[in-house]
Each structure stands twice: as structure tokens, then as C-alpha cells.
Amino acid sequence: MSQKVNLSEKQQCIIYIEDGPIYVKASAGSGKTRVLTERIRHLLGKTKRKILALTFTNKAGEEIKERLKDIPGLKERLFIGTFHSFCQYVLENHGSLIGLSKLPDIFENEADRLELIEKAIKQIPSHVKKYKEIGKKEQINFCYRVLKFISQVKRELISENDLFSQTDDENVVLLYQSYQDILRSQNAIDFDDLLLLTYNLFVNHPAISSLYRRSYQYICIDEAQDLNNAQYQLLLALTNGEHKNIMMVGDSNQSIFHFNGSSPDFMDKRFVKDFDPVIIELNENYRSSKAVLKAAKKIVPEAEGIANTILEGIFEISDFKDEDAEAEWIVKKIKELIQLKNHNDIEGDITYEKIAVLARNKYVFNKLESLLNKNSLPFYYKMTPGSIKFESDLMKIFDLALRIKLNPQDTLHKIRLFGLLNVAPVETTELSVVALRLDDGMEKQLLKVVINLNKDGSNFKKELEVFRGNIAIEDDNERRMVLYDIEELLKHWVNYARRTDNKLLHQFKNAMALGQTHPLTQHSGITLSTVHTMKGQEFDIVFVIGMDDETFPDYRAVRSGGIEMTQEKNNLYVAFTRAKRFLYVTWPQKRMMPWGDYRKRKISRFLEGFK
């Protein structure tokens, strides 16, 4: 049972509410994760059936698991993960009903999907000539537009028969069909297919959706403002108008993933209309200081106030002559804070780990990163969890060879492998045949490692460790990159092996693609992060830098207007509310543009009311 200690009356009400649909409007800092966790704990004590908890990041799921780890048999009684990981689980168990003998490979990298678009173009004679006549930049832009169309079609669950109603461009429809044919020929799917295939499974095989309805007595959805159409329709197909024990928790002001098709309307309007839930507003703030919340409220006036907030905190806006001066001030301020050691508003010592620097886009960090290095201040970039982006050519070869071993139909990565090995393409996907064409060296040894791997991965760690011990590379930088890549890969394997009983290399690759194996260890030093990557995390001290107009808001959003600008404002609200105690906002009066000249800048239009 959950404890009433340190829980407000509203929080207790949510935790102990009886059956039926619930919509919790949770403002920033209101303790929603704790409430969600404690409700799950309460429900597990109430039912013998299972609970389905859906999140939008693997990190959020791991945090909830950690808080509930004292519950016996948790793994068997609670499925907690992202929508995509739930779909992966369903398709692995019942995909045979829609023609999947096993879950296909997931092509998670944007570069792979763009290459498939180019392959699709070459298969359409009516379009390939026109494509070749345009410049390289126009070709890239066109491929991105087609990729965006494909994702939109899948998120909207539009059947191939209705594609022509979505666009006037016949070639784009042909490209969609060709792209899907190529994916199928390579025994592969993309992220959007996970949702689409699971939705089709539930709709076309109602006995399967009924099976899951009976299995999960309660469904909980965290960060529900990030739902997109495919996810919401999947929920409807799963519940089928029969399952009512659904709890959604979210904050409309933190909706920042419009580019992925998400909208708070699925939570605020559709869920309310379709399920008629009990609505509870969780608007007490237990995280941020008064100064931070007052600033956030200026960005989004309709956001909740500062109820139950005790600490005053700090909020400052500063402008500088250029990016160099901005970076110098930030480094100086960080040094001052570290030397201060403690402050009444901050629990414990002030350390580098309690400081984060946020920006709209990664390029904004260039000057600061150089200065942090120059001053020997520890920092790390917070990256979006997912597959490893190998730095060394040797481990890129390993990755490609492993893909081909697991999926011989994968010609996309086979061609890339031959290119890296500098051997002429051959029809075979037998790695042993490819290895015979190589001179003795590290590449050949690495292919032998892949060839020797067991399907269940039982010798994965041992083979890589032996290879690591025999590395003979003269170039120090290349050797360090290879060793680092192997170390990171082994961390992913250990995380995967720890979480599953029936291990398979194929399953491991797909788990990596979905970000389920990402090491969740704490990094040391100051955190540098884009706003999108920082969602769901908080720090005592936050710097939001590069707040000049058309940097934040991003110039593309300014041009588009409408919902894009609303999302940018929500981005800034999220950035502000990552700060628990101190918030420093900075912007340069001049910025070096990509083409090499300085351009005068204005303060972000979102901050004009602050000064």
C-alpha cells in the first residue's frame, strides 16, 4: 500500500480513486511522477491482474520501476515502457497473425530511411529524370519532404487505397508504395510501422485486443500531452469501448513534440469526449522556486501559479555583446557558484552535477564548449537514448556485419559493409565468404567475431572482450575510439541481458533501436542539453542560453507561425521549469552566422515583456 505521509489531499485523492477513467491535469513540479507511481503501487495491491503503464521515454519508465522495486513479482505484474516498446512486445507475441514470423529489423536511423527514399526514386522512371536535374540541396529537401509525408500517412493510419486523397503529387504516392516495398524486401520496418502494425493487429484480430484487455485491468499513461493520432487510435483499438480503467496524466503547457504529430488535444479533448473521465487538477508546486515560477508564468500566463512554493530562488536575464562574451560570463558564473559551495535555497553542496545549460539547438553550445574545455570544467552532452552511434570505422563494420548476420535480406547495410571493407560487392550474404576476400587484419578478425556469435548471444560478451584484448592499431586516436565503442556496446548488452530471461541477438538489436538498452548511469559534470532532450529532468541551477530571436524561437518556427510558435513557447516553458532554484537566461547581441559574418540580434520575442 502507498503511504499517506507527505502527500497532499489532492494527491491522495488521485492515488485512491475507485475504478473508471481519470484525467490528471498536472502542472510543472506538481509531483505527478510520484502520484502515478503511488497509484500503480496501490492498484497492484488491489488486483491480481496486470497493469499497463505507458510512458514517452525509457528513462521515465526506469524511474517508476526503481521506485516500485520493493514489490514482489513486479516484472510479471506490470508492463511499463514506451508505446513503441509495448508494440514491440505485442508483435513479438502475435505478429504471426499478420504475416510476421518474427519481428523484422527496425531501421531507426534517419540516414537509412533517406537512402531508402533515394532507392525508391530510382525505381520510378517517371520521376528519376526530374530528380537528377535538380541540385543536391533540392534533392535532400525533396527526400525529407517525402519522408515527412510517409511518417504523416502512417501516424494518421491512412490506408494505401486512400493515399491519393492526401496529396496532389502522384509521384509522392508512388514513392510511399515503393519505400514500403523496399522495406518489406529487406525484412525491415521503421518506427511508425510499429504503431501501424499493432493497430492493424488489434483491429483485424479483435480476439488479440480482447486478450490484452483481460490481461491489463488498469492502463496508466504518463506525459499524455505528447500523444499523437496513431498512439491514441491504438489505445481506442485496445480498449474497444469496454475498458474504462484508464488514467491519463499530462500538462498541455509542456507539449513540445508537434513535429512528431503529437497534440495535447488527444488528452484535453478526445479523451474527455470519448471516456468522460473524472478530471482532477494537480496544481501545487513542490519543485521550483518562486522566482523560477514567476518567470515561467510570464512565458505561459495560463500556467498554474506558485501555490505551496516556499523558496525565493533567483531569476536573471543578461545580454552580451557576442557569443564569446556570453560564454565567458556563464563560465565565470559557474565558477562563482562552485566556489560559493552552498546556498540556503539548495540542499547540500553546490556541485557541477547540479548545473545544466540548455539551448534550443546543439550548435548554440559551440563557444561555451570550447571555453569549458579551456577552463578544465567537467561537462557532458545529454544525448537522446537509442542505438549507439559508433565513432570508429572498425565498429561500424561490426554493426553492419551483425545486421547482415541477423537479417540476410538487408541489402542496404550489405552494400555499406562492402564499401567500408573496400571489397567489390558480391551477391552472397555469407560473412564467411566475405571474410575470405580480406587480407589478414583487424577487419577480418572482427568479421570472424560476428560469424562466431551464437544466436542467443551467450558468447557475445566473451567474443568482444577477447577481440578487445587483441586489438593492434597503431593510430592512438583510432584505437581509443574502438575501445570506447566496444565499452559502450558491452554496457548496452549488459543492460539488455539484465532485463530479459530469453536472450536473442535479434531482439537485442531491436531493443537498442528502441532505446531500451541505453545505459542509465549518472554522468559527472555540468549537463549540456537541448530542450527536447531535457524533458522530464530537473536541476537546481539552470542556464538557458542563446535567447536571441530566431534562435529561440527557431527561425523555421517563426516562418511557419501558428502551432509551430505555440510549440516553441512551450519549449521555453519546459526549459524554464527544468530549474528548481536558480535560473539564468542569456543572449548575444551579435551572432556569427553559418556563412561567416556577424549579424545583429534582438532579444527573443518571448522575453520582450521581461525588461
mmCIF file of all heavy atoms in Angstrom, residues 105 132 427 450 499 528:
data_model
loop_
_atom_site.group_PDB
_atom_site.id
_atom_site.type_symbol
_atom_site.label_atom_id
_atom_site.label_comp_id
_atom_site.label_asym_id
_atom_site.label_seq_id
_atom_site.Cartn_x
_atom_site.Cartn_y
_atom_site.Cartn_z
ATOM 1 N N ASP A 105 13.672 -6.360 -38.642
ATOM 2 C CA ASP A 105 14.641 -5.382 -38.167
ATOM 3 C C ASP A 105 14.008 -3.992 -38.181
ATOM 4 O O ASP A 105 13.217 -3.668 -39.073
ATOM 5 C CB ASP A 105 15.875 -5.363 -39.074
ATOM 6 C CG ASP A 105 16.808 -6.527 -38.788
ATOM 7 O OD1 ASP A 105 16.454 -7.353 -37.931
ATOM 8 O OD2 ASP A 105 17.872 -6.600 -39.415
ATOM 9 N N LYS A 132 17.125 13.925 -60.954
ATOM 10 C CA LYS A 132 18.537 14.118 -61.280
ATOM 11 C C LYS A 132 18.830 15.530 -61.778
ATOM 12 O O LYS A 132 19.961 16.014 -61.676
ATOM 13 C CB LYS A 132 18.978 13.104 -62.337
ATOM 14 C CG LYS A 132 19.126 11.686 -61.800
ATOM 15 C CD LYS A 132 19.569 10.729 -62.884
ATOM 16 C CE LYS A 132 19.782 9.325 -62.321
ATOM 17 N NZ LYS A 132 20.189 8.366 -63.385
ATOM 18 N N GLU A 427 26.973 -11.172 -54.441
ATOM 19 C CA GLU A 427 25.574 -11.490 -54.163
ATOM 20 C C GLU A 427 25.396 -12.110 -52.778
ATOM 21 O O GLU A 427 24.400 -11.920 -52.114
ATOM 22 C CB GLU A 427 25.037 -12.462 -55.223
ATOM 23 C CG GLU A 427 24.788 -11.822 -56.576
ATOM 24 C CD GLU A 427 23.754 -10.706 -56.494
ATOM 25 O OE1 GLU A 427 22.736 -10.866 -55.788
ATOM 26 O OE2 GLU A 427 23.979 -9.651 -57.121
ATOM 27 N N VAL A 450 31.888 -11.789 -35.480
ATOM 28 C CA VAL A 450 30.461 -11.769 -35.801
ATOM 29 C C VAL A 450 29.991 -13.150 -36.250
ATOM 30 O O VAL A 450 28.924 -13.630 -35.852
ATOM 31 C CB VAL A 450 30.156 -10.707 -36.889
ATOM 32 C CG1 VAL A 450 28.676 -10.737 -37.263
ATOM 33 C CG2 VAL A 450 30.556 -9.322 -36.399
ATOM 34 N N ARG A 499 17.751 -7.458 -18.161
ATOM 35 C CA ARG A 499 16.306 -7.223 -18.168
ATOM 36 C C ARG A 499 15.496 -8.335 -18.821
ATOM 37 O O ARG A 499 14.271 -8.265 -18.861
ATOM 38 C CB ARG A 499 16.004 -5.904 -18.895
ATOM 39 C CG ARG A 499 16.602 -4.696 -18.198
ATOM 40 C CD ARG A 499 16.483 -3.450 -19.044
ATOM 41 N NE ARG A 499 17.269 -2.361 -18.493
ATOM 42 C CZ ARG A 499 17.396 -1.180 -19.059
ATOM 43 N NH1 ARG A 499 16.792 -0.924 -20.189
ATOM 44 N NH2 ARG A 499 18.129 -0.246 -18.503
ATOM 45 N N LEU A 528 25.051 19.614 -20.555
ATOM 46 C CA LEU A 528 24.668 20.434 -21.695
ATOM 47 C C LEU A 528 23.589 19.666 -22.461
ATOM 48 O O LEU A 528 23.762 18.484 -22.752
ATOM 49 C CB LEU A 528 25.859 20.704 -22.628
ATOM 50 C CG LEU A 528 27.130 21.306 -22.034
ATOM 51 C CD1 LEU A 528 28.117 21.656 -23.149
ATOM 52 C CD2 LEU A 528 26.831 22.532 -21.202
#
